[in-house]
Amino acid sequence: MEHKTYHIEGLIEFIPRVFRDERGWFMETYNTSMFKPFGIDPVFVQDNESVSKKGVLRGLHFQKPPYAQGKLVRVASGRALDVALDLRKNSPTYGQHATCILDAEQHNMLYIPEGFAHGFIALEDNSSFLYKCTNLYHQPSESGILWNDPALGIDWGIVEPLVSPKDEVLPLLQDFDSPF
């Protein structure tokens, strides 16, 4: 499995080998050994899936410790612009973000460790987004950062995305005291 790292430490994009023939295709979507070169060993305990129409923006979400989650994300159908925002107080890239186009035809995946806010925007109708999480969902621990905080400078590629009312009232980064 190929991989790509980002300017923000801890983010890893994986590009699996896809075996195609006249019957279709096969690929390995997860193997614990893919993380060994990076010295990490995430244990995934929950899988989630969401389906979104084009223009739906979900995020920027995270769970506070001790319920923080690392995530391995990909799309099974469609495409999405994925965003990871570094919220680790002692990180030299605190408040910076990285983006990755997740594409069902490319089959790429992005690993986002604990200490990041995460969000995405669906670039196609019926984009099916899959998450492997290292901790269980814990509603009292959920939080986030406002998706369109001007200080973040995230180019979502759309002027008026479809955003949930809950995501419209998340705090700005400047008003946030990071628990990470």
Side-chain angles (χ1 to χ4, degrees):
M1 189 170 300
E2 294 180 39
H3 67 271
K4 171 186 168 187
T5 57
Y6 286 74
H7 74 283
I8 300 176
E9 185 180 342
L11 297 176
I12 309 163
E13 182 179 354
F14 294 100
I15 301 97
R17 290 182 56 197
V18 180
F19 300 92
R20 300 176 191 275
D21 64 23
E22 66 280 352
R23 300 169 297 157
W25 56 268
F26 170 86
M27 72 173 195
E28 188 174 87
T29 60
Y30 171 73
N31 183 314
T32 59
S33 67
M34 63 197 254
F35 290 96
K36 286 192 189 320
F38 307 99
I40 54 178
D41 188 20
V43 176
F44 296 105
V45 298
Q46 180 175 320
D47 285 4
N48 302 319
E49 182 174 4
S50 66
V51 176
S52 302
K53 61 184 182 178
K54 183 177 181 178
V56 168
L57 190 150
R58 300 180 189 267
L60 297 162
H61 304 142
F62 63 91
Q63 286 189 177
K64 298 173 190 169
Y67 301 98
Q69 295 176 315
K71 298 176 182 174
L72 181 63
V73 297
R74 68 184 180 96
V75 293
S77 63
R79 291 174 52 241
L81 172 68
D82 201 67
V83 177
L85 173 66
D86 191 351
L87 296 178
R88 300 169 297 178
K89 284 186 225 181
N90 297 323
S91 170
T93 53
Y94 175 82
Q96 294 182 30
H97 70 277
T99 62
C100 176
I101 299 288
L102 297 174
D103 186 330
E105 290 186 20
Q106 187 182 0
H107 305 285
N108 59 328
M109 300 171 267
L110 183 65
Y111 176 68
I112 305 157
E114 293 180 12
F116 284 77
H118 171 254
F120 70 90
I121 187 163
L123 301 175
E124 296 179 5
D125 282 333
N126 296 312
S127 289
S128 178
F129 200 92
L130 305 172
Y131 314 64
K132 291 186 87 53
C133 301
T134 61
N135 210 335
L136 300 175
Y137 174 71
H138 186 256
Q139 190 277 327
S141 299
E142 70 179 348
S143 192
I145 299 294
L146 189 63
W147 66 274
N148 62 351
D149 180 343
L152 302 178
I154 299 171
D155 180 2
W156 292 98
I158 188 170
V159 178
E160 293 186 30
L162 300 168
V163 180
S164 75
K166 181 174 83 170
D167 288 352
E168 289 285 13
V169 297
L170 292 170
L172 300 170
L173 184 64
Q174 72 181 19
D175 300 327
F176 171 71
D177 183 23
S178 180
F180 299 106

